[in-house]
Amino acid sequence: ELNYIHWKLQAGKCGLCSSVKACLSACGMACQGLQKGETLASLKRECDNLKKKLEEERGKLNDVELHQVAEKTEVLGALSVKTRRVLKGHGNKVLCMDWCKDRRRLVSSSQDGKVIVWDAFTLNKEHGITLPCTWVMACAYAPSGCAVACGGLDNKCSVVPLSLDKTENLAAKKKSVAMHTNYVSGCTFTNSDMQLLTCSGDGTCALWDVESGQLLQSFHGHTADVLSLDLAPSETGNTFVSGGCDKKANVWDMRSGQNIQSFESHESDINCVKYYPSGDAFASASDDATCRFYDLRADREVAVYQKDSIIFGASTVDFSLSGRLLFAGYNDYTINAWDVLKGTRVSVLFGHENRISRVRVSPDGTALCSASWDNTLRIWA
């Protein structure tokens, strides 16, 4: 716990420094460009007024809630989901995991500085990679299944090619692709092994070329640490969503680098964002103990998943394959399954002995994997 708090403070301190510098620099430029009678205070007031007008216009279109539309939809029966596998091998908190497209293998990263590739059927550890720093906060499987990406407090994101030879030293083949000015909090490959998308505590997201390590596009718009990102689920997915400590979820166009939509309804840090399977909506999990559902076509929040008895923050979310269920991991060691349409809680999964850091549904939708600070991963089905 203290390690985590210390890291948060360190990250916050660095982020604050860079934010202050950026702010001073922006203020300097802004002051030079001020017209007669304008002050920074008056421009800020004008900006706030415009924001209010936008919210009012959005409110006018708020004709009906999602649960009202879904009133006649059949109620879901009880879920009979149980722990089928427990993956043990990490020596410290498991911070991230990702499924391979083959629906069988998965990769996990931990505070112990190790990245492990598992066979989820047999529980065998196929590869183990030791990184030079602890707190490996992000990991991702390449679409081909031939490589994994990982990064964390070293401010880098590296790609490691996987070999059939189990005795080979994979750490020696590790290639640094992305370089941020603060910790790497998330990473994902685009629809090929050749491009990597990262988000960081420096407040930016970035698109990188894996082969050359060249920065292809950077995405500026968050005013604090970016904690999560997710790529739109289509073959030609040119958009992604990010969420962070500024309580904002931003949708980005990867081609232009522009922030095309922004949602700000959470009351605390957004820890995770995840696209709906159709790509028309996304969900977010926050320290304010709620998960929220945003429709991109309606340009607004359409559902909130919360209960008075839930007082701990939500750290991670993922949808079932059909999109009817939303699985959310919380800091009270539980995973809640929500009915996306009706907004009701369907089930609570118990088993972990510390906070949940990640939940991911397998590509074929038959299993759910959870990673936790209790040093284990669990597979539910």
Side-chain angles (χ1 to χ4, degrees), residues 76-365:
L76 285 174
L79 282 184
S80 57
V81 177
K82 293 177 184 171
T83 299
R84 305 295 176 181
R85 299 277 191 281
V86 180
L87 282 64
K88 296 178 180 177
H90 281 294
N92 215 319
K93 300 173 179 117
V94 185
L95 303 174
C96 190
M97 63 75 49
D98 191 30
W99 285 96
C100 179
K101 288 272 198 299
D102 70 0
R103 312 185 297 272
R104 175 166 183 157
R105 287 170 182 80
L106 57 93
V107 62
S108 63
S109 63
S110 164
Q111 192 192 336
D112 61 10
K114 287 189 171 56
V115 174
I116 298 176
V117 175
W118 310 78
D119 182 326
F121 290 1
T122 65
L123 302 188
N124 287 343
K125 301 173 188 69
E126 296 198 344
H127 301 285
I129 307 153
T130 303
L131 296 180
C133 82
T134 55
W135 284 94
V136 188
M137 298 162 65
C139 64
Y141 234 116
S144 68
C146 296
V148 293
C150 50
L153 282 192
D154 58 355
N155 302 359
K156 295 176 191 168
C157 192
S158 305
V159 173
V160 185
L162 300 176
S163 166
L164 292 173
D165 181 4
K166 303 283 167 68
T167 60
E168 196 168 353
N169 179 18
L170 294 180
K173 289 184 156 189
K174 177 170 67 79
K175 179 182 180 183
S176 291
V177 172
M179 179 64 87
H180 283 274
T181 57
N182 210 326
Y183 65 91
V184 173
S185 52
C187 65
T188 185
F189 285 89
T190 59
N191 293 312
S192 80
D193 289 18
M194 302 317 296
Q195 289 185 347
L196 186 68
L197 200 55
T198 58
C199 61
S200 166
D202 62 15
T204 69
C205 301
L207 180 66
W208 308 85
D209 180 80
V210 171
E211 195 64 40
S212 64
Q214 189 179 344
L215 175 65
L216 301 175
Q217 187 69 265
S218 59
F219 307 89
H220 299 265
H222 284 284
T223 54
D225 306 21
V226 186
L227 299 179
S228 176
L229 57 76
D230 191 42
L231 191 68
S234 77
E235 290 304 313
T236 55
N238 289 311
T239 61
F240 72 94
V241 62
S242 64
C245 293
D246 55 2
K247 310 174 196 173
K248 281 184 190 171
N250 290 339
V251 181
W252 305 87
D253 186 321
M254 276 165 53
R255 295 159 296 186
S256 65
Q258 295 298 307
N259 178 196
I260 50 178
Q261 277 176 289
S262 189
F263 303 91
E264 194 175 357
S265 58
H266 276 293
E267 292 165 15
S268 191
D269 301 4
I270 295 176
N271 294 315
C272 183
V273 285
K274 187 69 183 170
Y275 264 103
Y276 190 70
S278 69
D280 293 322
F282 71 90
S284 59
S286 167
D287 278 343
D288 64 12
T290 69
C291 298
R292 294 170 191 257
F293 190 51
Y294 300 93
D295 190 313
L296 298 175
R297 296 160 301 182
D299 193 40
R300 69 180 182 89
E301 175 194 292
V302 290
V304 183
Y305 308 101
Q306 63 183 352
K307 278 177 85 73
D308 290 341
S309 58
I310 300 174
I311 56 171
F312 287 86
S315 51
T316 176
V317 283
D318 197 11
F319 289 99
S320 62
L321 199 63
S322 67
R324 181 68 193 268
L325 290 171
L326 178 70
F327 295 100
Y330 289 81
N331 295 342
D332 63 357
Y333 319 165
T334 64
I335 298 165
N336 287 355
W338 298 91
D339 183 328
V340 171
L341 298 180
K342 292 184 173 291
T344 56
R345 186 168 68 182
V346 178
S347 182
V348 185
L349 309 182
F350 298 96
H352 280 295
E353 295 168 9
N354 208 325
R355 68 167 66 180
I356 315 295
S357 53
R358 185 86 153 176
V359 292
R360 280 291 172 265
V361 173
S362 64
D364 62 357

